[in-house]
Amino acid sequence: MHIHGYAWLGEKQMFDKESVRRPPGEPPSASSPVDVLDRYRQAVAEFPTTAVPPIQTAHWLMKPASMVRGTWEEPKEAGEWLGLQLAELAPRFADRSEREAARLATVGRAAVERLTWGGDISLGHYLTGAVFHSLALVTCSPNRTAPGLPCPLG
């Protein structure tokens, strides 16, 4: 098992577009409602290429390898990356209580513990303004929740 890291920073409005955050799934029938057909077409076109975080954390593995921000063999190393990412943007967190160093350290320790048993991590924070920041650590080869998904790095 190894761990991939993902990060996204963007407009909350884009994050709220659920259609780009879900994989296409099964194609609808020709008699499906127009909105279902439109959602499917949008998912086919946008899900594989957009860096907007997927709704299910394991679905990051369906994205191109270019979206991987780091890969680690050890949970501790992945947790350190997570801690650095959080510390870098913490001054911009909209919720001041989430900026506290003790809280960030607790989040980092909990992430390492979860990764140790093969769990995934997905964190999101609203930043000042209408911006959202997402971080994910996804176990790979295999992933516990989606063992059939291949590693994006081959």
Side-chain angles (χ1 to χ4, degrees), residues 92-116:
R92 294 179 54 195
F93 289 174
D95 183 344
R96 291 184 182 274
S97 68
E98 294 191 1
R99 298 177 185 179
E100 297 173 10
R103 184 188 180 290
L104 296 174
T106 299
V107 168
R109 285 190 302 274
V112 171
E113 182 179 322
R114 184 178 193 95
L115 292 168
T116 300

Side-chain angles (χ1 to χ4, degrees), residues 3 72-83 108-109 111-113 115-116 137:
I3 303 153
W72 305 273
E73 297 297 325
E74 296 297 325
K76 184 178 179 193
E77 296 168 343
E80 289 170 358
W81 175 82
L82 183 76
R109 285 190 302 274
V112 171
E113 182 179 322
L115 292 168
T116 300
L137 290 169

Side-chain angles (χ1 to χ4, degrees), residues 36-153:
V36 172
L37 293 168
D38 289 345
R39 184 236 170 278
Y40 180 77
R41 284 187 203 107
Q42 186 175 22
V44 166
E46 295 182 20
F47 180 80
T49 59
T50 182
V52 177
I55 289 177
Q56 184 176 336
T57 306
H59 287 170
W60 272 114
L61 299 175
M62 300 169 79
K63 303 284 189 167
S66 61
M67 293 186 190
V68 174
R69 299 292 174 245
T71 299
W72 305 273
E73 297 297 325
E74 296 297 325
K76 184 178 179 193
E77 296 168 343
E80 289 170 358
W81 175 82
L82 183 76
L84 290 172
Q85 299 299 306
L86 289 171
E88 181 180 322
L89 285 175
R92 294 179 54 195
F93 289 174
D95 183 344
R96 291 184 182 274
S97 68
E98 294 191 1
R99 298 177 185 179
E100 297 173 10
R103 184 188 180 290
L104 296 174
T106 299
V107 168
R109 285 190 302 274
V112 171
E113 182 179 322
R114 184 178 193 95
L115 292 168
T116 300
W117 56 261
D120 296 330
I121 308 297
S122 184
L123 301 173
H125 296 90
Y126 290 99
L127 304 183
T128 51
V131 179
F132 190 79
H133 178 243
S134 173
L135 291 169
L137 290 169
V138 184
T139 56
C140 188
S141 299
N143 180 278
R144 285 178 66 116
T145 60
L149 291 178
C151 180
L153 296 179

